[in-house]
Amino acid sequence: SYELIQPPSVSVSPGQTANITCSGDKLGDKYACWYQQKPGQSPVLVIYQDNKRPSGIPERFSGSNSGNTATLTISGTQAMDEADYYCQAWDSTTGVFGTGTKVTVL
Amino acid sequence: EVQLLESGGGLVQPGGSLRLSCAASGFTFSSYAMSWVRQAPGKGLEWVSVISGSGGVTYYADSVKGRFTISRDNSKNTLYLQMNSLRAEDTAVYYCAKEAVVLVVTDSPFDYWGQGTLVTVSS
């Protein structure tokens, strides 16, 4: 079955840039999206179709996808960005989520 | 405003059954595929199943195939998940999620999520 692998954790200082990777076989041939989930809350879509931001998502969130890796970049990270982040793609008729990355803003 | 409200969760014994519901409002329900996604306590997200807007096309994760059935009643704007032969590993918060792209079954992100309903499988 198709797998999407993310680093378990990423630490970043306020104002700095956080890069979260998502690795999967030929992931660049698929659309990748990213969700943010804060404790006790439902996931929120922050990036779709590799690099598009839904309405209301700050410009500091951006994405890319090429080869076997999709990347979510948070520029000028703020304390409010501390959360779990999940990548997601479709492998034919199956939805697949990444393993998740906890972003800590130190 | 799009709203998704799940219900039907609870405590059930192994081998038992449960039916979850997701009441939708604020959009043309029949035009969008809907999915169920679950999250075991302290774990990551796991996609469970998707159903097309008409209800005629369904897909399942291997982990639930043959035990779970997704359905919808477009006249009631409601999504369902019938869960049979439940196992301890099915314990999770179950979310319903709306796909963002109209008339597409797969290859679409989930733009709205419900608040989730907890299913606990234990004796």
Side-chain angles (χ1 to χ4, degrees):
Chain A
S1 61
Y2 194 77
E3 293 183 328
L4 294 174
I5 306 299
Q6 301 178 231
S9 62
V10 167
S11 296
V12 59
S13 300
Q16 298 305 301
T17 297
N19 290 300
I20 307 163
T21 58
C22 172
S23 298
D25 185 49
K26 298 180 180 179
L27 179 56
D29 292 344
K30 309 176 190 298
Y31 276 136
C33 57
W34 292 88
Y35 301 90
Q36 175 194 70
Q37 187 180 34
K38 296 181 179 179
Q41 298 184 19
S42 302
V44 173
L45 179 67
V46 294
I47 291 289
Y48 69 100
Q49 288 184 1
D50 298 339
N51 54 22
K52 295 179 173 58
R53 277 180 294 105
S55 173
I57 300 301
E59 290 185 8
R60 63 179 181 273
F61 289 89
S62 63
S64 63
N65 185 17
S66 180
N68 294 323
T69 304
T71 302
L72 173 69
T73 300
I74 310 174
S75 304
T77 306
Q78 300 183 8
M80 69 174 64
D81 301 328
E82 188 163 285
D84 294 326
Y85 291 83
Y86 296 91
C87 59
Q88 186 255 321
W90 287 89
D91 179 42
S92 184
T93 59
T94 301
V96 182
F97 284 94
T99 50
T101 298
K102 182 176 182 58
V103 171
T104 301
V105 182
L106 298 171
Chain B
E1 178 193 5
V2 172
Q3 290 194 336
L4 300 172
L5 184 61
E6 301 96 336
S7 60
L11 175 64
V12 60
Q13 292 188 338
S17 298
L18 210 57
R19 189 177 83 154
L20 306 183
S21 299
C22 170
S25 61
F27 64 102
T28 305
F29 184 65
S30 60
S31 292
Y32 293 89
M34 299 290 295
S35 278
W36 287 98
V37 177
R38 68 183 180 183
Q39 187 169 35
K43 302 298 184 182
L45 300 173
E46 179 188 14
W47 175 81
V48 173
S49 182
V50 63
I51 186 168
S52 63
S54 67
V57 177
T58 59
Y59 300 114
Y60 297 91
D62 287 344
S63 58
V64 306
K65 200 173 296 182
R67 300 187 299 123
F68 290 11
T69 301
I70 191 171
S71 63
R72 64 193 297 161
D73 185 337
N74 287 343
S75 68
K76 296 182 178 179
N77 286 356
T78 302
L79 174 73
Y80 302 102
L81 186 67
Q82 177 67 43
M83 304 185 294
N84 298 332
S85 303
L86 283 161
R87 308 165 180 167
E89 53 265 37
D90 295 318
T91 294
V93 172
Y94 285 73
Y95 297 98
C96 64
K98 170 189 169 293
E99 297 208 3
V101 181
V102 65
L103 299 179
V104 166
V105 181
T106 62
D107 213 19
S108 170
F110 307 118
D111 59 350
Y112 289 94
W113 297 64
Q115 87 292 344
T117 187
L118 176 62
V119 172
T120 303
V121 184
S122 174
S123 55

